[in-house]
Amino acid sequence: MAEGRVMDGAFAPTVRARSAWPESAGSRAARRMTARTILDRQHQHQRLRTALHAALLSARRQRRFAEDVAPDSAADVLALFAHGVNLRSRAGADAQQLRGTVTAAITARGP
């Protein structure tokens, strides 16, 4: 039963959004598609993040990754950045613009 409560909490935003939509066969199909799309994207994000985390751990073993940077956090940032680049591409940014954005992000240094 506790598992059901966890699932309810995890999907609460989707459930709230569903209750605001008018009822029709088309809207029910749209809700199913939206929920499926959200779950697919979450799964894709997790797979990307997991692959990046593994690559960062490998780089750390080879002493090619800073010891003071947390691989978990770095994998999160890189996965989110990859999604952002994808969105910019879909919004019409050309290869040169994307390359400039990626280069700036990779070469940027904090204090």
Side-chain angles (χ1 to χ4, degrees):
M1 200 53 139
E3 181 178 313
R5 285 191 295 268
V6 170
M7 293 302 286
D8 289 343
F11 294 105
T14 303
V15 171
R16 281 193 299 273
R18 284 182 178 184
S19 64
W21 291 347
E23 283 302 315
S24 72
S27 66
R28 284 190 299 274
R31 286 195 310 270
R32 280 193 303 273
M33 179 58 101
T34 300
R36 188 174 310 124
T37 301
I38 290 168
L39 292 173
D40 287 347
R41 287 184 181 158
Q42 288 174 345
H43 181 69
Q44 289 170 354
H45 172 80
Q46 189 58 41
R47 283 190 354 220
L48 174 61
R49 188 212 172 276
T50 299
L52 289 166
H53 185 257
L56 293 171
L57 290 176
S58 176
R60 175 160 284 164
R61 284 191 299 273
Q62 298 170 21
R63 301 189 188 275
R64 298 176 59 201
F65 186 73
E67 288 292 326
D68 62 336
V69 177
D72 287 337
S73 298
D76 286 333
V77 169
L78 290 172
L80 291 171
F81 181 65
H83 290 299
V85 170
N86 186 14
L87 285 174
R88 280 205 69 213
S89 173
R90 289 172 184 249
D94 64 23
Q96 184 177 0
Q97 291 171 317
L98 295 173
R99 193 173 298 114
T101 301
V102 170
T103 300
I106 290 173
T107 60
R109 301 213 188 265

